[in-house]
Amino acid sequence: MISIWEKGINVTASNIVLVGFMGTGKSTVGKQLAERLQWTFRDSDAVLEAEEQTSIPDLFRIHGEPYFRTLESKTLAHILDGNKQVVATGGGAVLAETNRSNMLNNGFVVALKASPEMIIHRVSSDSNRPLLQGNLEERVHTLLEQRKSSYDFAHMVIDTTELTTDQIVDMIVGEAASRKERTS
């Protein structure tokens, strides 16, 4: 465990792990949170693409989703071996029990949620999301329904629909600090 100081508050966590459906703000919030804490930001999808030297849509197209999910688990495990990181996971990383356990064992897990309308708005111009091919609204609603309980394991849940990035970062830092005080 590592202690950090944020505005005079001691926060203990080896990593902060952001989970949530695509378009909920994991990368945006993660970058700003890492900057605030002076930690490293790691996007598990970006790390996977760099290690495999190909894009996620190409991995899905060539090898299929099961192959991608195996790589995703290996990548996440490797990342979570580190510390002082804010880790933004892929939206489906929570589907594997091994990933959920790894996240809980190696960090403070925050689930970001948003309304379906906000998610659709945020991802509508992003063609780099293989699971959203076809009717975007239908796919978002279907996947949200399938995954509605998948993020319940997180230490903290934040609905990002009406919040600014600063507000979300403040909430995460505040909750991490209060958890530290309760466990001290």
Side-chain angles (χ1 to χ4, degrees):
M1 292 291 202
I2 301 166
S3 292
I4 56 169
W5 287 90
E6 162 61 20
K7 296 183 180 176
I9 300 169
N10 190 14
V11 179
T12 300
S14 53
N15 297 294
I16 296 177
V17 183
L18 302 177
V19 299
F21 196 78
M22 57 192 94
T24 56
K26 298 180 301 287
S27 293
T28 302
V29 170
K31 289 173 187 171
Q32 189 164 322
L33 180 60
E35 185 176 307
R36 167 118 32 116
L37 299 176
Q38 297 182 339
W39 282 14
T40 302
F41 173 72
R42 306 288 303 268
D43 180 309
S44 65
D45 284 348
V47 171
L48 189 151
E49 286 181 330
E51 288 177 354
E52 294 300 310
Q53 298 182 341
T54 191
S55 69
I56 289 172
D58 283 347
L59 285 170
F60 266 77
R61 184 176 48 76
I62 296 166
H63 301 286
E65 186 175 357
Y67 178 82
F68 167 77
R69 294 295 175 203
T70 299
L71 289 177
E72 180 178 54
S73 293
K74 289 178 183 175
T75 301
L76 187 58
H78 174 74
I79 291 169
L80 290 174
D81 279 342
N83 55 46
K84 290 180 121 179
Q85 303 172 111
V86 175
V87 181
T89 64
V94 298
L95 299 176
E97 173 60 35
T98 185
N99 292 346
R100 293 190 302 272
S101 295
N102 202 0
M103 291 179 220
L104 288 171
N105 290 332
N106 292 288
F108 176 67
V109 182
V110 180
L112 302 182
K113 294 188 174 191
S115 70
E117 297 75 24
M118 182 58 74
I119 290 169
I120 291 165
H121 171 74
R122 289 175 180 167
V123 303
S124 62
S125 62
D126 187 349
S127 61
N128 201 32
R129 298 182 187 272
L131 291 178
L132 295 183
Q133 300 309 306
N135 182 318
L136 176 62
E137 289 184 25
E138 181 182 308
R139 292 296 299 147
V140 166
H141 285 283
T142 298
L143 287 169
L144 281 172
E145 180 61 27
Q146 290 171 353
R147 296 179 183 179
K148 66 182 173 187
S149 300
S150 298
Y151 307 103
D152 293 347
F153 74 101
H155 296 107
M156 176 182 194
V157 178
I158 300 173
D159 186 330
T160 66
T161 304
E162 302 286 332
L163 299 174
T164 67
T165 304
D166 281 333
Q167 289 171 319
I168 299 163
V169 168
D170 288 345
M171 291 172 74
I172 294 169
V173 169
E175 179 63 18
S178 72
R179 284 179 181 268
K180 165 63 177 154
E181 290 170 9
R182 288 193 300 263
T183 60
S184 294

